[in-house]
Amino acid sequence: MPLHVFPAPAPALRSVLAALGSPTAVRESHTPALRSVQGSLSPELPLPVHVLDRIVPNEAAPRTRLAGWRFLIRSGGRAVAAADTMLTADGWTFSHFFEGPYITSTELAVRQAESTATPYQPRLLSVPELYMFTLWLHHDIEADAGSGALAPTDVLVPLAPAPPGITAHRPHRAADLLPVMTLRVTPAPLPDAPGLPGLLGSPA
């Protein structure tokens, strides 16, 4: 398999296993699919979740920050929910369970990536400015899964639902997708009205 999945920090995995073993945590989660499962549940496919806080035009290698680790929760061979963990002052701890379209979309994107011949390290990248999630295929398979910049040669696969104008599950080189993302968050300049000062104070 060309994907080199790094193991999650042991405390993160333990916290998810503890939550799955807690009837209270499962019962109080906003995940009907998780609560209705009759069989065993197992956390699989741990992926580090990075955040790109701000899209900067012409930035060659944007820096990201590690926000957590996400696990798909499987039962009977299918993913029924996901679990997020977060880093606190006391270390990695369980955050919450959730369900929805990103789970199915993540599975599909991972399967597509596994069919390629190029080895990658899979991550998830959140872009809050666009309410967007992508599968981030990092070219450096030996890199620390919790650090690193978004390299121009990395591949981003937008997950569904994707923002308007960006097609879900279409792989893009980061160098090609970032300019498109920049256009989505940069407001178009307003034309100067006739007879009024220009936007920079010069005559119109």
Side-chain angles (χ1 to χ4, degrees):
M1 182 173 75
L3 295 185
H4 292 246
V5 180
F6 265 58
L13 176 58
R14 286 197 298 267
S15 72
V16 172
L17 289 171
L20 287 173
S22 167
T24 301
V26 173
R27 184 172 61 251
E28 293 181 352
S29 67
H30 300 289
T31 51
L34 186 62
R35 297 196 302 268
S36 63
V37 169
Q38 299 298 316
S40 61
L41 297 166
S42 61
E44 300 178 12
L45 190 63
L47 294 173
V49 181
H50 290 253
V51 177
L52 181 60
D53 287 305
R54 186 163 178 264
I55 304 171
V56 179
N58 304 318
E59 188 174 12
R63 300 294 304 182
T64 67
R65 60 179 176 86
L66 180 66
W69 281 80
R70 177 169 296 177
F71 300 77
L72 294 187
I73 308 301
R74 293 187 183 275
S75 176
R78 67 185 183 93
V80 296
D84 274 356
T85 64
M86 61 182 180
L87 187 60
T88 69
D90 297 322
W92 289 100
T93 185
F94 170 74
S95 174
H96 62 279
F97 294 116
F98 70 95
E99 59 185 43
Y102 279 136
I103 296 170
T104 302
S105 186
T106 299
E107 282 196 300
L108 175 58
V110 168
R111 286 199 300 269
Q112 290 175 329
E114 288 174 341
S115 67
T116 67
T118 304
Y120 289 109
Q121 180 194 110
R123 306 173 173 188
L124 292 172
L125 180 65
S126 170
V127 187
E129 285 182 293
L130 294 177
Y131 300 98
M132 177 182 179
F133 249 100
T134 76
L135 178 66
W136 172 9
L137 301 175
H138 192 45
H139 73 286
D140 185 356
I141 61 176
E142 301 298 332
D144 182 348
S147 63
L150 179 60
T153 55
D154 288 350
V155 175
L156 297 176
V157 184
L159 301 182
I166 296 177
T167 303
H169 295 286
R170 178 178 294 174
H172 301 266
R173 291 175 65 252
D176 298 329
L177 184 58
L178 282 171
V180 177
M181 294 163 61
T182 300
L183 291 176
R184 306 303 300 180
V185 298
T186 304
L190 296 175
D192 294 344
L196 294 178
L199 293 178
L200 298 180
S202 57

